[in-house]
Amino acid sequence: MAEQVCVPVEVVTKKPKSLTMLESACLPIAAMTALQGLRDYGAIKPGERVLITGAGGCVGSMAVQIAKAYGCHVTAVCRGKHAAMVSQAGADIVVDFERDDYLTLGQTWDCVFDAACYRPIRSTMGVLNDNGRFVHVGGAGMGSIMRSLFLKPFYSWFTSKQIQIFVQTCNVPDLRELVQLCDAGKLKPCVTRTVTMDGVAGAMDDFENHKTFGKVGVAIIADDEEQSALSSDDEDVRR
């Protein structure tokens, strides 16, 4: 973490006009992961049914909104205490994984965007429709990634279902698509907590202990300073 950093101009674009500087700072990594995972690897299409696990997290909450923006029916899995936020993000159905198991709902999906790895991959593949896509995003560390890599060729060779594993890459066209979604009112980071630089260590501890949800923002400048910067030279404010 730093108050000032140098970044290549090739990965910079203007912030969304509809978001504050803090909200804009919370957008790129999580939203781009969700966008690329759903669009490029999940190959989602309007009208498809999408299951998103870890929907209360930073990536999952973005994924709910992006899937809805692409015209999908979204089932979101999260903790019950996060259900209101996830529902507000646009989920059609919210499942409390501490009370209900999405594997026993009797439903199937065209794409599973697994940002939490609540359940074994082989079990989750059973609720995919034919030609369904399982997108592995995160979860239980390297072990879960290795299991996905091991199972991927089996499903590719012997079924019509796919396991997709990817690494998010930063690029300006995707940043601009996210900006457009934000300014169209279809995407907004769910910032649930704001800390100063002095509070970063504590926030990181909470994140590692699964005590956070949505996005935690780090405020570098005060709100009045932000407004002054935006009003003085808005065209040159870039993220």
Side-chain angles (χ1 to χ4, degrees):
M1 296 285 180
E3 293 182 352
Q4 297 181 358
V5 295
C6 293
V7 296
V9 69
E10 294 82 6
V11 294
V12 175
T13 193
K14 291 182 180 179
K15 65 176 285 296
K17 293 181 180 179
S18 58
L19 301 186
T20 67
M21 293 289 283
L22 180 67
E23 290 170 334
S24 299
C26 291
L27 180 70
I29 301 300
M32 197 169 298
T33 299
L35 175 66
Q36 293 174 4
L38 288 168
R39 181 196 63 196
D40 301 337
Y41 296 88
I44 59 173
K45 302 176 183 65
E48 287 194 322
R49 293 172 53 80
V50 178
L51 174 73
I52 297 170
T53 71
C58 53
V59 174
S61 59
M62 299 286 193
V64 169
Q65 297 175 73
I66 291 171
K68 288 300 297 180
Y70 270 67
C72 298
H73 180 282
V74 176
T75 300
V77 185
C78 64
R79 295 181 185 275
K81 62 183 180 181
H82 304 156
M85 180 197 76
V86 173
S87 180
Q88 187 175 6
D92 296 286
I93 300 173
V94 179
V95 178
D96 177 358
F97 78 88
E98 295 176 311
R99 187 184 64 186
D100 299 311
D101 186 348
Y102 63 82
L103 297 178
T104 63
L105 295 178
Q107 299 186 32
T108 57
W109 293 272
D110 301 296
C111 176
V112 173
F113 183 87
D114 196 1
C117 295
Y118 294 132
R119 305 290 287 146
I121 295 171
R122 284 180 292 181
S123 299
T124 301
M125 296 299 286
V127 297
L128 272 179
N129 293 326
D130 290 341
N131 300 310
R133 293 82 63 195
F134 174 92
V135 182
H136 185 114
V137 185
M142 187 57 68
S144 64
I145 295 174
M146 295 304 295
R147 283 190 289 274
S148 291
L149 289 170
F150 177 78
L151 291 170
K152 179 179 172 69
F154 172 83
Y155 283 97
S156 297
W157 294 338
F158 300 108
T159 77
S160 62
K161 302 175 183 180
Q162 303 175 30
I163 295 177
Q164 301 284 7
I165 307 166
F166 76 104
V167 176
Q168 176 259 99
T169 57
C170 184
N171 64 83
V172 169
D174 282 355
L175 283 174
R176 288 175 177 163
E177 179 171 347
L178 295 174
V179 170
Q180 291 173 354
L181 288 172
C182 289
D183 286 340
K186 297 180 179 180
L187 179 65
K188 185 176 182 178
C190 300
V191 182
T192 57
R193 178 181 171 188
T194 302
V195 299
T196 63
M197 291 291 284
D198 293 339
V200 168
M204 290 298 296
D205 286 341
D206 289 344
F207 174 77
E208 292 173 358
N209 288 297
H210 307 289
K211 295 180 180 179
T212 63
F213 65 101
K215 290 289 293 186
V216 177
V218 180
I220 302 298
I221 59 175
D223 289 343
D224 56 347
E225 293 179 281
E226 174 184 327
Q227 292 304 316
S228 176
L230 289 173
S231 61
S232 64
D233 199 3
D234 184 62
E235 288 301 311
D236 290 331
V237 176
R238 297 172 178 270
R239 297 308 287 174

